Structures are given as structure tokens and as C-alpha cells.
Amino acid sequence: MSAEITRVPFMAGHIQTVLVDEEPRVIVRPTLEAMGLDADSQMKKLKRKSWATTAMTTVVAEDGKAREMATVDLDTWSMLLANIDEARVSEAARPLVVEYQKKSARALREYWTQGGAINPAATRDQVADLRERLDGVERARLAQERLSAMGVAKQFGLVNSSYVEAMARTELARMNGEEPDIDPADITITCDEFLTEQGVAAADLGSARTRLGKTVAALYRARYAGQEPQTIKRPINGVHRDVKVYTHRDIDLFEKAWAELGRHYSVQTAIGGAA
């Protein structure tokens, strides 16, 4: 299928492009010849470069006829311009080539020394896209650190397999900006969360948390041959504290402990009245 030519703004002028498999490709000859360069010579040089991607693309020319034209992807186009000898281009094109190469050199330096480069002329949409990509990078970095820490913890027997699997699924999903798809039995739960589900009154929450936590932890150690429950940071009364966390695979431990302790506490009904 032939592709139609689209003129795209580029620096102070335009370049001719076509879409191939939804990816833009630059038509090489008209732009290079307008710069006073020999397009055939430049294409021969590109074919010797490992970083270059060139192709012959069927294009609908301005006269309405389909022709085979040499095209390159945007990565190749960027590198081609960065390597052009400014002394060989036309007087009209030279200032643009010099400006492009200076900005490219600066962007390359900032990429390697500062982690990235920002174009001051970027549009709002481009800036928003960059922020979204940076958020994705940060999510991936944090997820990788957590997965590594969990692997070490499992190696030394500090956490059980069900907890590691649940957390690994969660972190891998977050790395991709998705909601985790995990077995309901692997969803985590803490004493505070269990007590809230039971409707324990706020005035009793502190005491109930302590007594339930000790009982559930003892039952957990008995079940897993002395292994301690996993501990994470959670906000308690505005302060992040170490909190033991379990999965719903061990929800029966909570239910067993609550059967003994629950009668000592006031609980609320679903509409807020006393039980």
C-alpha cells in the first residue's frame, strides 16, 4: 500500500514524511537536496552504519503517482543530521545545521550526565507525556528495589512464600502502571484493617490492636515453625511504625484470635449504632 506524503515542521522549515506501520519515516532525497547535499552519497554512507535503518518505501508523490523513495526512521534522521559536515551544505542551510548539531550535542551531554534533556520549546502535551514517562520510571525503580528486598528476605526465611508472591504481583503491576491481578487469598491484611472490618470502636482500637496483634503473631509462629510475620511501615496515629502484615491465607488466625478477644470490645453496626 502506498503512503501519502505529509509535511512536518522541523526547526525553521519542513521535512517530508510518511507513516509506515504507524511510525513516521523521513523521505531523504528532497530534504537533503534542498540542503545542497548528494542524497545518493548520503544513503550509501548510512547503509554502512550499524545504527542506521533505511528502506525503500512506496510513496504517493505530489503528482499523484506511486514511486519508490528512500526513507529513514527518526532515529536515523537525527543521527544523519548530527554527522553532516556543515562545510558541505548550502549557505542557506548551514545556520540550521550548526544550530541543530549544537543543541543535539547539549542534549546528548545532559542525557548521559544528568539523566535526561528537556527542550525549552516543548509543548504542554509533550511536557505532560514526559512527566508520565518519568512517573513510570520511578514506579519501576521503586518496584525493582522492593522486589530485590523481598528476594533477600525470602532467602533468609524472613517472609513466607505467599506473602512474597502477593507482593511480587503487586509490584510488577505497579511497575507497568496497572492494578495488581492477584489471588484474593494473597491480599494483605493488618490487625488495624481486620479490627476496622469488625467495627471496633475508635476508643478501643489501640487496646484491641495490641491484644489481637500478640495473639495472631503467636498463632502465626506456631503455624510456621517459629517464623516471624512480615513487618512493614504503616501510619499509626500520624506516625509511621513497624506493623506486622499477613495475607488472607491466614485470615483464620485472625478469626480464631477474635473469637477469644472480641467479646471484650464494643463494635459498631454497619449504620454506626452500638451492636
Side-chain angles (χ1 to χ4, degrees), residues 8-17 26-39 42-43 45-46 49 51-54 72-90 93-105 108:
V8 176
F10 182 77
M11 300 188 71
H14 292 80
I15 55 175
Q16 294 186 19
T17 67
V26 178
I27 302 172
V28 177
R29 184 175 298 280
T31 304
L32 291 183
E33 289 182 347
M35 297 169 64
L37 294 171
D38 184 330
Q42 293 298 324
M43 287 299 295
K45 291 179 181 178
L46 286 178
K49 303 294 185 181
W51 45 259
T53 301
T54 65
V72 297
D73 63 8
L74 293 182
D75 288 353
T76 303
W77 177 250
S78 298
M79 287 290 288
L80 169 61
L81 290 185
N83 284 278
I84 285 177
D85 183 351
E86 64 186 70
R88 293 182 176 274
V89 301
S90 65
R94 187 169 299 138
L96 295 179
V97 171
V98 171
E99 181 186 5
Y100 177 88
Q101 292 182 348
K102 285 183 177 179
K103 289 182 176 179
S104 296
L108 191 61

Side-chain angles (χ1 to χ4, degrees), residues 103-202:
K103 289 182 176 179
S104 296
R106 186 180 304 116
L108 191 61
R109 180 197 67 197
E110 292 177 359
Y111 176 90
W112 289 112
T113 62
Q114 300 178 27
I118 300 293
N119 185 345
T123 65
R124 289 185 177 182
D125 287 343
Q126 289 172 328
V127 171
D129 180 64
L130 284 171
R131 287 190 178 124
E132 184 176 343
R133 289 161 60 187
L134 286 172
D135 288 344
V137 170
E138 181 65 11
R139 285 196 305 269
R141 185 184 66 80
L142 290 174
Q144 189 174 29
E145 290 177 357
R146 292 182 182 127
L147 289 170
S148 177
M150 282 189 286
V152 172
K154 182 180 179 182
Q155 180 181 356
F156 288 95
L158 301 178
V159 293
N160 62 44
S161 296
S162 62
Y163 179 83
V164 172
E165 180 179 352
M167 290 296 97
R169 288 179 180 274
T170 298
E171 294 302 338
L172 289 172
R174 288 173 178 167
M175 185 184 298
N176 295 316
E178 302 170 352
E179 288 298 317
D181 180 19
I182 62 176
D183 189 322
D186 288 328
I187 296 175
T188 59
I189 187 169
T190 64
C191 286
D192 264 23
E193 291 164 349
F194 180 84
L195 291 169
T196 299
E197 290 176 2
Q198 301 307 312
V200 173

Side-chain angles (χ1 to χ4, degrees), residues 211-225:
R211 296 182 66 180
L212 183 72
K214 289 181 178 179
T215 305
V216 173
L219 292 171
Y220 184 93
R221 286 190 290 269
R223 170 171 289 179
Y224 295 104

